[in-house]
Amino acid sequence: MSEPPLTFSGSPAILIERLIAVVGEDHCLSRPEELFTYGCDGLTLDAHRPSVVVLPKSSQEVAAAVAICRELGCPFVPRGAGTGLSGGATPLFGAVVICCSRMGEILEIDAENRIAVVQPGVVNAHLSRAVADLGLFYAPDPSSQQACTIGGNVAENSGGPHTLKYGTTTNHVLAVEMVLPDASTVRLGSPTGFSPGYDLVGAVVGSEGTLGIVTEITVRLMAIPEAVETILAIFDDVPSACRLVGGIIRSGMVPAALEVVDQRTIRAVEASVYAAGLPTEAGAVLIIELDGAACEMEGQLARIRALAENEGVRDLRIAENAEERTLFWRARKGAFGAMGRLAPDLYVHDAVVPRASLPEVLEEICAIGDRYSLKLSNVFHAGDGNLHPNISFDRRDPDELARVLAAGREMLELCVRVGGVLTGEHGVGTEKRDYMGMLFSPDDLDAMRRLRDAFNPDGLCNPGKLIPTTRACMESNPKARGYDEVPLE
Amino acid sequence: MSEPPLTFSGSPAILIERLIAVVGEDHCLSRPEELFTYGCDGLTLDAHRPSVVVLPKSSQEVAAAVAICRELGCPFVPRGAGTGLSGGATPLFGAVVICCSRMGEILEIDAENRIAVVQPGVVNAHLSRAVADLGLFYAPDPSSQQACTIGGNVAENSGGPHTLKYGTTTNHVLAVEMVLPDASTVRLGSPTGFSPGYDLVGAVVGSEGTLGIVTEITVRLMAIPEAVETILAIFDDVPSACRLVGGIIRSGMVPAALEVVDQRTIRAVEASVYAAGLPTEAGAVLIIELDGAACEMEGQLARIRALAENEGVRDLRIAENAEERTLFWRARKGAFGAMGRLAPDLYVHDAVVPRASLPEVLEEICAIGDRYSLKLSNVFHAGDGNLHPNISFDRRDPDELARVLAAGREMLELCVRVGGVLTGEHGVGTEKRDYMGMLFSPDDLDAMRRLRDAFNPDGLCNPGKLIPTTRACMESNPKARGYDEVPLE
């Protein structure tokens, strides 16, 4: 089994000169102030300086850049928009960042077969906008969809509020073109949705940039549903909202989304530019979105009203038009931005528990936050059991930072204990790499390592991510989590 | 890259003695008449005698059997019900067959979280029957569902008529327990449907038993739809039926199934015990199944009637009740059985083409059948573009057999030429192994080989399947296809 390589120790001057020959001087960044931006993704706690950043324009340029990195023995890391939350795009070991943001073209839209072919740098929300006139949309909708790229979504297998009905990115990717760590280019999958042989597209989606760099993606498009209803159910507390989620799913309905927003989040949102008119004294709001045939809506709304009344709902508001629907969603999609009001730093956790255990788990998570005296808020994909406990803090206070990390670990242990998993949609990256032993046996981790080594045998492609590097790391020693390797400044 | 091992040359007596110690004498078969049944799956053209057949009862027994095979250097092959059509369960190189049919328990049904945990030997149709009272069903429904096992479905990523709306097996498997070729046992995926790290469940589903032996499967259950409508649209010819398929999909509807049955199939069915009252002078029948909310049905039926009239439909029959629905489906599900009336042997082909090209491709496929003077019939998943050209023949006529193989190859070349793929749901196995070069580049095949070698480095687990063994095989020399290795008498 390969261990990650040592930090790049070759000549940066030669590396830069060779890469400039491929992408041109304007698209090869090496000044410290340019490199700063690329030192981390949304997991800003963990930043490292890259050797160089290149911005290729084509698959051929990506392959040429990878070939140079291999030849000179320098690690490399693919990057999209850098909105990831688990450190997937963070350049460890002095890696070269290969940033695909200039590869932003929609190459083909085929309405009859309901597919689109895109470059990895296409922004998620732009694709749905481009196909809206055809009555189609691209279903995965991460909260960062106005900024994040489809290439990054493929790396992280991103989900979003509508995962409940529509699944995550892996359910929507039919084929990819990919530059492997040996600089060869392969095409995996098929636009027909059927592909003989191993499901390598399945293995690549969610591999967090450790198996190669995806340079073209064929995605499935969906028909825009005939009708959409968006409902706010306002509750006195989070467990009641969670119980309604269980009741709706048990009833057989599959809403497009079931999202819980707790009181602290409501208050932050209402004090911010995202204000949506939510009652700031409410304990929790459940956003319910239904979509489907227009004739189904009335009956489903009536069933939801009855179920909500059973759980003691305080108020039920139904969006009357598209503007009001957008307003309801602002409370959810603007939540992370609004939390900037609570403290300078935000740690967005991500874990999944069996849906039935949500009420107890949420109470326990709040108790952990209180025990560590932390500012905890919860906004989450309740229909999937996908939690996002968010901790607002100030990293300049070392004691608070230590409490943030310790509480996060306890929350993950709790989720795993009730039969859940470490991450739903943010990935493992550096953030949870050394927690993988909580969930997986050494044999399970060896199976992952074998898959990685099959594609990335010398470990140059996005090293230090996803899999603990040694058994010792599995003890989850925080010092081994990469925070103090090659620090930025 | 590993090449498959040589034929097992150790002592069968020691192998048998060791395996009996694990599974008991009653569950270890070694007499020639016992072995005969296990010489092939549904691809009966290609049969080979196994060294031994073991029928373990538990995951521990599977692991112990694998450990013995490794120790003695004997290849091994997992098997379910043996209904596969591409040779996936065929024991090449004197392999031990590890048949999971005794591992047939449904271990858990969790209605709240909508999952079931099953052993691999559970028969596909039995699971839906077991959860029907809870208002749930298991969606993948291969034509062989009364016999085939869920373990076999996982190996082949089986589809079925309802793939159009519900996807194939890979869309319904959340987690597996698996004995790897090194005899270790791993658990992949999570019942929550989210799993950190590589999507190894995705890589395992459809790997045709070459990555290990799945010993427990957690599947997703679906809510039985409120309403179902089944319609027979009767046409003068196959291309008109295919054009209606295109029209329905373009209209934005996603029916549960869209299945075409051609005239030769109709006549065989009507002459058989599966007779369903279809008009034997019709050129083609399209079975359309709609499911969803009861209130949607009337509007969708009206739209389908209008679209069908546009394509010159001769008659449209709507099933009035569950009995009539079953009768309509008998024509489809009994088709392969009924073809026993046409000739002693049947070659069921399987390929996928872009839906829009169906009318032209079908005409060309019929022309190929005529050119080779073959009895060709077509019954297929038109909504998916998944063709099943069926050739009825007599293997005792060597000239006819040669024409069957040559015509099949031409049909596959045609499908690949129009942007299709080699197989939709039957797998590659031995059948299409040496055709993989038609679709994939040497680099693409190397990527698959690397994945296989990561799990199965010495090639003992189901050798000789899925990937061409040498570049020479990619020339698709029929002599290299395994038909004449270790022949069964």
PDB file of all heavy atoms in Angstrom, chain A residues 323-339:
ATOM      1  N   GLU A 323     -42.536  34.006  -6.019  1.00  0.00           N
ATOM      2  CA  GLU A 323     -41.759  34.941  -5.194  1.00  0.00           C
ATOM      3  C   GLU A 323     -41.749  34.472  -3.741  1.00  0.00           C
ATOM      4  O   GLU A 323     -40.727  34.487  -3.070  1.00  0.00           O
ATOM      5  CB  GLU A 323     -42.353  36.362  -5.241  1.00  0.00           C
ATOM      6  CG  GLU A 323     -42.165  37.090  -6.559  1.00  0.00           C
ATOM      7  CD  GLU A 323     -42.921  36.435  -7.715  1.00  0.00           C
ATOM      8  OE1 GLU A 323     -44.130  36.122  -7.547  1.00  0.00           O
ATOM      9  OE2 GLU A 323     -42.302  36.196  -8.778  1.00  0.00           O
ATOM     10  N   GLU A 324     -42.938  34.063  -3.274  1.00  0.00           N
ATOM     11  CA  GLU A 324     -43.002  33.628  -1.882  1.00  0.00           C
ATOM     12  C   GLU A 324     -42.201  32.336  -1.681  1.00  0.00           C
ATOM     13  O   GLU A 324     -41.538  32.138  -0.663  1.00  0.00           O
ATOM     14  CB  GLU A 324     -44.466  33.444  -1.461  1.00  0.00           C
ATOM     15  CG  GLU A 324     -44.639  33.680   0.031  1.00  0.00           C
ATOM     16  CD  GLU A 324     -46.105  33.703   0.465  1.00  0.00           C
ATOM     17  OE1 GLU A 324     -47.001  33.611  -0.393  1.00  0.00           O
ATOM     18  OE2 GLU A 324     -46.341  33.813   1.676  1.00  0.00           O
ATOM     19  N   ARG A 325     -42.244  31.470  -2.676  1.00  0.00           N
ATOM     20  CA  ARG A 325     -41.448  30.233  -2.592  1.00  0.00           C
ATOM     21  C   ARG A 325     -39.962  30.566  -2.451  1.00  0.00           C
ATOM     22  O   ARG A 325     -39.256  30.002  -1.616  1.00  0.00           O
ATOM     23  CB  ARG A 325     -41.684  29.382  -3.845  1.00  0.00           C
ATOM     24  CG  ARG A 325     -40.818  28.132  -3.899  1.00  0.00           C
ATOM     25  CD  ARG A 325     -41.230  27.206  -5.031  1.00  0.00           C
ATOM     26  NE  ARG A 325     -42.669  27.083  -5.011  1.00  0.00           N
ATOM     27  CZ  ARG A 325     -43.467  27.342  -6.034  1.00  0.00           C
ATOM     28  NH1 ARG A 325     -42.952  27.689  -7.200  1.00  0.00           N
ATOM     29  NH2 ARG A 325     -44.768  27.220  -5.903  1.00  0.00           N
ATOM     30  N   THR A 326     -39.500  31.511  -3.265  1.00  0.00           N
ATOM     31  CA  THR A 326     -38.093  31.926  -3.204  1.00  0.00           C
ATOM     32  C   THR A 326     -37.777  32.488  -1.820  1.00  0.00           C
ATOM     33  O   THR A 326     -36.721  32.218  -1.255  1.00  0.00           O
ATOM     34  CB  THR A 326     -37.820  32.990  -4.286  1.00  0.00           C
ATOM     35  OG1 THR A 326     -38.255  32.453  -5.532  1.00  0.00           O
ATOM     36  CG2 THR A 326     -36.354  33.335  -4.365  1.00  0.00           C
ATOM     37  N   LEU A 327     -38.706  33.242  -1.271  1.00  0.00           N
ATOM     38  CA  LEU A 327     -38.511  33.829   0.048  1.00  0.00           C
ATOM     39  C   LEU A 327     -38.366  32.726   1.108  1.00  0.00           C
ATOM     40  O   LEU A 327     -37.454  32.761   1.946  1.00  0.00           O
ATOM     41  CB  LEU A 327     -39.716  34.725   0.366  1.00  0.00           C
ATOM     42  CG  LEU A 327     -39.566  35.677   1.547  1.00  0.00           C
ATOM     43  CD1 LEU A 327     -38.540  36.760   1.235  1.00  0.00           C
ATOM     44  CD2 LEU A 327     -40.915  36.335   1.879  1.00  0.00           C
ATOM     45  N   PHE A 328     -39.262  31.724   1.059  1.00  0.00           N
ATOM     46  CA  PHE A 328     -39.174  30.613   2.023  1.00  0.00           C
ATOM     47  C   PHE A 328     -37.803  29.945   1.928  1.00  0.00           C
ATOM     48  O   PHE A 328     -37.178  29.615   2.937  1.00  0.00           O
ATOM     49  CB  PHE A 328     -40.259  29.567   1.755  1.00  0.00           C
ATOM     50  CG  PHE A 328     -41.658  29.980   2.141  1.00  0.00           C
ATOM     51  CD1 PHE A 328     -41.944  31.256   2.617  1.00  0.00           C
ATOM     52  CD2 PHE A 328     -42.714  29.083   2.029  1.00  0.00           C
ATOM     53  CE1 PHE A 328     -43.239  31.631   2.966  1.00  0.00           C
ATOM     54  CE2 PHE A 328     -44.012  29.444   2.379  1.00  0.00           C
ATOM     55  CZ  PHE A 328     -44.278  30.717   2.847  1.00  0.00           C
ATOM     56  N   TRP A 329     -37.341  29.723   0.689  1.00  0.00           N
ATOM     57  CA  TRP A 329     -36.062  29.041   0.514  1.00  0.00           C
ATOM     58  C   TRP A 329     -34.876  29.914   0.922  1.00  0.00           C
ATOM     59  O   TRP A 329     -33.819  29.375   1.269  1.00  0.00           O
ATOM     60  CB  TRP A 329     -35.895  28.557  -0.937  1.00  0.00           C
ATOM     61  CG  TRP A 329     -36.532  27.219  -1.135  1.00  0.00           C
ATOM     62  CD1 TRP A 329     -37.663  26.944  -1.847  1.00  0.00           C
ATOM     63  CD2 TRP A 329     -36.077  25.971  -0.602  1.00  0.00           C
ATOM     64  NE1 TRP A 329     -37.938  25.598  -1.797  1.00  0.00           N
ATOM     65  CE2 TRP A 329     -36.990  24.969  -1.039  1.00  0.00           C
ATOM     66  CE3 TRP A 329     -35.005  25.574   0.196  1.00  0.00           C
ATOM     67  CZ2 TRP A 329     -36.852  23.623  -0.700  1.00  0.00           C
ATOM     68  CZ3 TRP A 329     -34.868  24.239   0.528  1.00  0.00           C
ATOM     69  CH2 TRP A 329     -35.787  23.282   0.082  1.00  0.00           C
ATOM     70  N   ARG A 330     -35.053  31.226   0.874  1.00  0.00           N
ATOM     71  CA  ARG A 330     -33.945  32.096   1.284  1.00  0.00           C
ATOM     72  C   ARG A 330     -33.540  31.808   2.714  1.00  0.00           C
ATOM     73  O   ARG A 330     -32.361  31.862   3.066  1.00  0.00           O
ATOM     74  CB  ARG A 330     -34.352  33.556   1.160  1.00  0.00           C
ATOM     75  CG  ARG A 330     -33.800  34.191  -0.079  1.00  0.00           C
ATOM     76  CD  ARG A 330     -34.471  35.479  -0.341  1.00  0.00           C
ATOM     77  NE  ARG A 330     -33.941  36.529   0.523  1.00  0.00           N
ATOM     78  CZ  ARG A 330     -34.328  37.797   0.383  1.00  0.00           C
ATOM     79  NH1 ARG A 330     -35.205  38.136  -0.545  1.00  0.00           N
ATOM     80  NH2 ARG A 330     -33.817  38.716   1.165  1.00  0.00           N
ATOM     81  N   ALA A 331     -34.531  31.512   3.549  1.00  0.00           N
ATOM     82  CA  ALA A 331     -34.231  31.222   4.956  1.00  0.00           C
ATOM     83  C   ALA A 331     -33.293  30.020   5.043  1.00  0.00           C
ATOM     84  O   ALA A 331     -32.414  29.943   5.897  1.00  0.00           O
ATOM     85  CB  ALA A 331     -35.519  30.923   5.708  1.00  0.00           C
ATOM     86  N   ARG A 332     -33.484  29.073   4.137  1.00  0.00           N
ATOM     87  CA  ARG A 332     -32.672  27.858   4.176  1.00  0.00           C
ATOM     88  C   ARG A 332     -31.332  28.059   3.475  1.00  0.00           C
ATOM     89  O   ARG A 332     -30.282  27.755   4.022  1.00  0.00           O
ATOM     90  CB  ARG A 332     -33.464  26.729   3.503  1.00  0.00           C
ATOM     91  CG  ARG A 332     -32.683  25.457   3.276  1.00  0.00           C
ATOM     92  CD  ARG A 332     -32.311  24.830   4.606  1.00  0.00           C
ATOM     93  NE  ARG A 332     -31.445  23.679   4.418  1.00  0.00           N
ATOM     94  CZ  ARG A 332     -30.143  23.738   4.265  1.00  0.00           C
ATOM     95  NH1 ARG A 332     -29.522  24.906   4.252  1.00  0.00           N
ATOM     96  NH2 ARG A 332     -29.432  22.629   4.133  1.00  0.00           N
ATOM     97  N   LYS A 333     -31.414  28.589   2.255  1.00  0.00           N
ATOM     98  CA  LYS A 333     -30.187  28.677   1.451  1.00  0.00           C
ATOM     99  C   LYS A 333     -29.274  29.800   1.940  1.00  0.00           C
ATOM    100  O   LYS A 333     -28.074  29.764   1.709  1.00  0.00           O
ATOM    101  CB  LYS A 333     -30.528  28.820  -0.038  1.00  0.00           C
ATOM    102  CG  LYS A 333     -31.277  27.591  -0.585  1.00  0.00           C
ATOM    103  CD  LYS A 333     -30.927  27.236  -2.020  1.00  0.00           C
ATOM    104  CE  LYS A 333     -31.546  25.888  -2.391  1.00  0.00           C
ATOM    105  NZ  LYS A 333     -31.217  25.387  -3.717  1.00  0.00           N
ATOM    106  N   GLY A 334     -29.855  30.797   2.626  1.00  0.00           N
ATOM    107  CA  GLY A 334     -29.032  31.879   3.142  1.00  0.00           C
ATOM    108  C   GLY A 334     -28.512  31.633   4.548  1.00  0.00           C
ATOM    109  O   GLY A 334     -27.797  32.454   5.108  1.00  0.00           O
ATOM    110  N   ALA A 335     -28.858  30.469   5.106  1.00  0.00           N
ATOM    111  CA  ALA A 335     -28.539  30.240   6.522  1.00  0.00           C
ATOM    112  C   ALA A 335     -27.044  30.336   6.807  1.00  0.00           C
ATOM    113  O   ALA A 335     -26.626  30.994   7.763  1.00  0.00           O
ATOM    114  CB  ALA A 335     -29.081  28.879   6.955  1.00  0.00           C
ATOM    115  N   PHE A 336     -26.233  29.701   5.942  1.00  0.00           N
ATOM    116  CA  PHE A 336     -24.799  29.689   6.243  1.00  0.00           C
ATOM    117  C   PHE A 336     -24.214  31.094   6.145  1.00  0.00           C
ATOM    118  O   PHE A 336     -23.370  31.488   6.941  1.00  0.00           O
ATOM    119  CB  PHE A 336     -24.054  28.709   5.337  1.00  0.00           C
ATOM    120  CG  PHE A 336     -24.499  27.291   5.545  1.00  0.00           C
ATOM    121  CD1 PHE A 336     -24.889  26.502   4.475  1.00  0.00           C
ATOM    122  CD2 PHE A 336     -24.547  26.747   6.818  1.00  0.00           C
ATOM    123  CE1 PHE A 336     -25.313  25.190   4.680  1.00  0.00           C
ATOM    124  CE2 PHE A 336     -24.970  25.447   7.030  1.00  0.00           C
ATOM    125  CZ  PHE A 336     -25.358  24.670   5.948  1.00  0.00           C
ATOM    126  N   GLY A 337     -24.690  31.842   5.138  1.00  0.00           N
ATOM    127  CA  GLY A 337     -24.220  33.224   5.015  1.00  0.00           C
ATOM    128  C   GLY A 337     -24.606  34.046   6.238  1.00  0.00           C
ATOM    129  O   GLY A 337     -23.792  34.787   6.798  1.00  0.00           O
ATOM    130  N   ALA A 338     -25.851  33.864   6.691  1.00  0.00           N
ATOM    131  CA  ALA A 338     -26.361  34.665   7.816  1.00  0.00           C
ATOM    132  C   ALA A 338     -25.583  34.382   9.099  1.00  0.00           C
ATOM    133  O   ALA A 338     -25.491  35.236   9.982  1.00  0.00           O
ATOM    134  CB  ALA A 338     -27.846  34.377   8.018  1.00  0.00           C
ATOM    135  N   MET A 339     -25.006  33.193   9.185  1.00  0.00           N
ATOM    136  CA  MET A 339     -24.303  32.854  10.418  1.00  0.00           C
ATOM    137  C   MET A 339     -23.038  33.663  10.624  1.00  0.00           C
ATOM    138  O   MET A 339     -22.471  33.675  11.720  1.00  0.00           O
ATOM    139  CB  MET A 339     -24.029  31.357  10.473  1.00  0.00           C
ATOM    140  CG  MET A 339     -25.325  30.646  10.833  1.00  0.00           C
ATOM    141  SD  MET A 339     -25.128  28.907  10.863  1.00  0.00           S
ATOM    142  CE  MET A 339     -26.840  28.422  10.700  1.00  0.00           C
TER     143      MET A 339
END
